[in-house]
Amino acid sequence: MAIFQGAGVAIVTPFHEDGSVDYEKFAELVEFQIQNGTDAIIVCGTTGESSTLTHEEHLDVIRFCAKTVNGRVPVIAGTGSNCTETAVYLSTEAEKFGVDGLLLVSPYYNKATQKGLFEHYKKIADSVKLPIILYNVPSRTGCNILPQTVVKLCSEVHNIVGVKEASGNISQITKLAALAQGKIDIYSGNDDQIVPILSLGGKGVISVLSNVAPKQTHDICAKFFAGDVEGSCKEQLRAIELCDALFCEVNPIPVKTALSMMGKCGGTLRRPLCEMEEANVEKLRNAMKNYGIL
């Protein structure tokens, strides 16, 4: 059984102006998601600025999220690292907090070989009992987990069950789906490719869009699974302008700016991320208005 099916939000980590984690706003964001039908919460991923959290903050945010959600929807903790031992540490600690699964990004910067990726993931998986979703995002990591490697990992390591595919390469994802034969949970990592990946047998999306439009993102998936493919496609296409605007600068700069416009949290980012260019702010504002969330 999949950890979740549908739209999981890759939730932001809100900060006070001094850069500390704003737990009050974080709790409000969690409630906003649950009240609007999100199917899972993915905490401390790329969108959550995990790379600029200290290990203590990283684990505190995961613990707080799990406690706040309190079993109402699955919580998946981002505990990946380019250092295998660090990923083992974060994963084993997160398991103690009662999360439902782990999301493990491929090692960044050091760019492991496919053999190295297998050994990296197997060591982490062997350290925990939780189900694991691999996270393939080569545009940010410089490292592509090939379909054959994903299949080998899911076949030989019992608790590696799926992959968040954010390569953007539909041909690669199609090959993965063919090799997987329905035995691997595939999630879209790109909000503009939800329906195409669902049509290949995907289980859902791990979504940036869902931060600002949780009900609508949920509905894209729910309509598809209910057999309303036309309605699902219509919702997907309606969201394309907003999806483009949410990635007109590096994630999570635009989505935090959008949440600030909505009054959901401040737009404070940790360096080296910085505030949006004004022209892109206007592009984002117009897209949100056209989508009906501003």
Side-chain angles (χ1 to χ4, degrees):
M1 179 182 289
I3 303 173
F4 78 96
Q5 178 174 289
V9 61
I11 200 165
V12 303
T13 304
F15 299 122
H16 294 288
E17 288 187 9
D18 66 3
S20 60
V21 178
D22 188 339
Y23 286 102
E24 181 178 350
K25 286 296 181 184
F26 190 89
E28 291 175 8
L29 291 175
V30 167
E31 295 304 325
F32 172 64
Q33 289 296 318
I34 292 174
Q35 289 167 13
N36 284 277
T38 203
D39 297 294
I41 294 178
I42 295 80
V43 59
C44 288
T46 303
T47 309
E49 294 175 78
S50 57
S51 59
T52 56
L53 298 174
T54 66
H55 291 168
E56 292 77 14
E57 287 174 323
H58 194 137
L59 293 171
D60 283 346
V61 171
I62 293 171
R63 183 191 297 108
F64 183 85
C65 183
K67 183 178 179 181
T68 303
V69 172
N70 194 27
R72 290 177 288 173
V73 296
V75 172
I76 299 161
T79 54
S81 173
N82 68 331
C83 171
T84 305
E85 294 303 327
T86 299
V88 167
Y89 166 69
L90 293 173
S91 299
T92 55
E93 290 299 307
E95 185 172 38
K96 299 172 185 176
F97 307 148
V99 299
D100 299 279
L102 303 175
L103 180 71
L104 300 178
V105 70
S106 60
Y108 39 88
Y109 187 74
N110 33 16
K111 297 173 69 172
T113 64
Q114 297 302 302
K115 178 183 178 183
L117 287 172
F118 180 88
E119 293 178 356
H120 169 81
Y121 281 121
K122 185 176 187 306
K123 183 165 186 179
I124 302 165
D126 286 347
S127 74
V128 296
K129 293 184 173 65
L130 289 170
I132 288 168
I133 299 172
L134 310 176
Y135 179 15
N136 189 37
V137 58
S139 64
R140 296 192 78 124
T141 64
C143 183
N144 186 24
I145 316 174
L146 295 179
Q148 296 88 338
T149 305
V150 174
V151 173
K152 180 177 172 67
L153 281 162
C154 291
S155 300
E156 298 183 17
V157 185
H158 73 94
N159 56 332
I160 297 181
V161 299
V163 60
K164 174 185 177 182
E165 241 299 345
S167 67
N169 184 339
I170 287 292
S171 294
Q172 175 170 303
I173 300 167
T174 301
K175 184 173 184 179
L176 170 62
L179 292 173
Q181 298 182 327
K183 297 177 182 177
I184 297 172
D185 299 333
I186 302 173
Y187 298 93
S188 176
N190 293 321
D191 286 309
D192 60 354
Q193 295 181 343
I194 303 172
V195 171
I197 289 176
L198 293 180
S199 74
L200 294 170
K203 292 292 185 181
V205 61
I206 295 177
S207 171
V208 174
L209 173 66
S210 189
N211 278 281
V212 296
K215 181 181 185 303
Q216 296 91 328
T217 312
H218 164 85
D219 285 350
I220 292 173
C221 297
K223 286 177 184 290
F224 188 95
F225 292 130
D228 183 9
V229 176
E230 183 178 354
S232 175
C233 186
K234 183 178 180 180
E235 285 296 324
Q236 170 79 90
L237 297 178
R238 190 173 78 86
I240 291 298
E241 181 191 10
L242 180 54
C243 291
D244 288 346
L246 288 171
F247 287 90
C248 67
E249 291 190 18
V250 68
N251 179 51
I253 294 172
V255 72
K256 273 199 155 178
T257 304
L259 285 166
S260 179
M261 289 180 192
M262 295 169 70
K264 297 294 183 185
C265 72
T268 303
L269 298 142
R270 284 195 175 173
R271 297 298 182 260
L273 301 186
C274 65
E275 293 70 26
M276 286 183 78
E277 298 288 345
E278 190 55 40
N280 287 330
V281 172
E282 285 307 305
K283 177 180 179 179
L284 176 61
R285 181 178 288 112
N286 289 335
M288 293 171 69
K289 287 179 179 177
N290 292 339
Y291 194 67
I293 57 173
L294 195 63

